[in-house]
Amino acid sequence: MPTWFLPPDFTFAADGPIQLGTVIAHPKKPTLVLTTLSSPDSGITLPKTSILTETNHSHVKSHAQSNGFSSWMQFFAVASASVKTDVGSSASLRYGAVDHQIHSFAEPLTGETALKIAALPVVQQHMASGLWGKRAVYVVSGVRIAKTSFTVEKGTGANSTVELSGSGPPISGPVPLELGVSVAHHQEKTVTDSYETAPGIVFAYRVHVIRYKRAGVETELFQSKGAFMTGSGRADDEEPPVVVEGTKEELDEDLEEENDYTETSIGDDDVCISF
């Protein structure tokens, strides 16, 4: 399932740090750039770029919750009272319709390319800094660019209701009467903020992970033992790195990072993650 990551905010220009071939430390830190492979000086040849356009892309997300409590009391078998409370909150997020230009690699990253990336000194240094083994690095492999400006609208709300009711003993008379009273109070507050983004900003990005094999079952996309044996000056008995798609499962299995994220489905197939 294709997984897209939202940047921290919508201020990243298309020619900024989030570009195809940028190697970052983690998807939640897109500004922590280790190196940029799109430069001819990198010595690494990237796959050709594919460009597609999605028209009128929009997204709305909302969430609401409510908690209720009630109690009932009886006094000396002649009077009773009850208290009922309900507290709720809501949140909404809306992105206005805009055309997305999707830049992605026309072909997958190969094991040979992963090996060359892992051999770069700055990448080697980062991967060797892990507490629980070797860290992974993440290569930006897809970028959604909003060609024009769009509206971002965030809303939050809170509401509370308190209801008190009680009854007293029956009043004697020709027709016995029982007295009762009920009082309710409802309060609601809503705050909405909105702004317009600049045109040509990065809406979301995809990544591929370059890492070493973990213990247990692996889902490997590309691995080249032959390329490893012939090439980077590393010990011949060391396993080569693998290249896998950056998904939420990969995030969950990365022990070097604390990942607190929100997952949202987009359409029938895509998933969007925000930190």
Side-chain angles (χ1 to χ4, degrees):
M1 181 176 294
T3 301
W4 294 89
F5 298 91
L6 290 180
D9 53 51
F10 294 124
T11 60
F12 291 83
D15 58 354
I18 306 177
Q19 298 186 50
L20 288 182
T22 298
V23 182
I24 58 178
H26 194 271
K28 70 179 179 182
K29 305 171 183 176
T31 57
L32 188 53
V33 176
L34 300 178
T35 187
T36 301
L37 304 178
S38 58
S39 171
D41 299 334
S42 68
I44 297 175
T45 302
L46 294 174
K48 293 181 179 180
T49 300
S50 171
I51 301 177
L52 300 174
T53 299
E54 275 188 7
T55 59
N56 294 321
H57 187 282
S58 63
H59 175 61
V60 178
K61 176 185 175 183
S62 61
H63 171 74
Q65 65 179 20
S66 178
N67 299 301
F69 172 78
S70 62
S71 64
W72 178 85
M73 296 168 287
Q74 186 174 14
F75 304 98
F76 304 110
V78 294
S80 64
S82 65
V83 180
K84 181 179 180 181
T85 63
D86 187 78
V87 179
S89 62
S90 62
S92 62
L93 178 63
R94 184 180 70 85
Y95 302 134
V98 66
D99 292 350
H100 282 189
Q101 194 175 78
I102 304 174
H103 295 236
S104 59
F105 291 139
E107 299 174 353
L109 293 174
T110 64
E112 291 84 349
T113 301
L115 191 63
K116 292 179 180 179
I117 295 173
L120 295 174
V122 66
V123 174
Q124 282 186 339
Q125 183 179 6
H126 176 76
M127 298 182 83
S129 65
L131 296 175
W132 308 103
K134 291 194 174 183
R135 289 181 180 270
V137 295
Y138 299 81
V139 181
V140 177
S141 56
V143 181
R144 283 180 176 266
I145 300 173
K147 298 304 295 179
T148 58
S149 63
F150 63 95
T151 302
V152 179
E153 184 178 288
K154 298 180 180 180
T156 58
N159 63 84
S160 62
T161 301
V162 178
E163 182 178 350
L164 304 175
S165 61
S167 63
I171 300 176
S172 59
V175 179
L177 299 176
E178 182 176 352
L179 297 178
V181 63
S182 177
V183 178
H185 173 71
H186 178 75
Q187 184 176 3
E188 185 171 350
K189 181 180 180 181
T190 302
V191 177
T192 301
D193 297 314
S194 65
Y195 65 91
E196 293 283 331
T197 70
I201 56 92
V202 174
F203 180 85
Y205 54 96
R206 292 180 66 185
V207 298
H208 272 71
V209 189
I210 297 178
R211 61 168 174 77
Y212 290 90
K213 293 179 65 175
R214 303 188 183 106
V217 178
E218 284 285 356
T219 304
E220 295 182 19
L221 298 186
F222 309 100
Q223 177 175 323
S224 175
K225 186 70 173 179
F228 168 73
M229 294 294 290
T230 58
S232 65
R234 297 153 53 93
D236 287 346
D237 58 350
E238 184 179 1
E239 284 289 337
V242 296
V243 185
V244 296
E245 186 174 354
T247 63
K248 68 182 187 68
E249 288 79 15
E250 281 293 321
L251 292 182
D252 294 339
E253 293 177 7
D254 187 350
L255 300 179
E256 300 293 339
E257 294 285 344
E258 294 183 2
N259 294 305
D260 184 13
Y261 60 83
T262 301
E263 175 190 357
T264 305
S265 297
I266 301 179
D268 296 329
D269 299 320
D270 292 5
V271 170
C272 190
I273 287 179
S274 57
F275 296 98

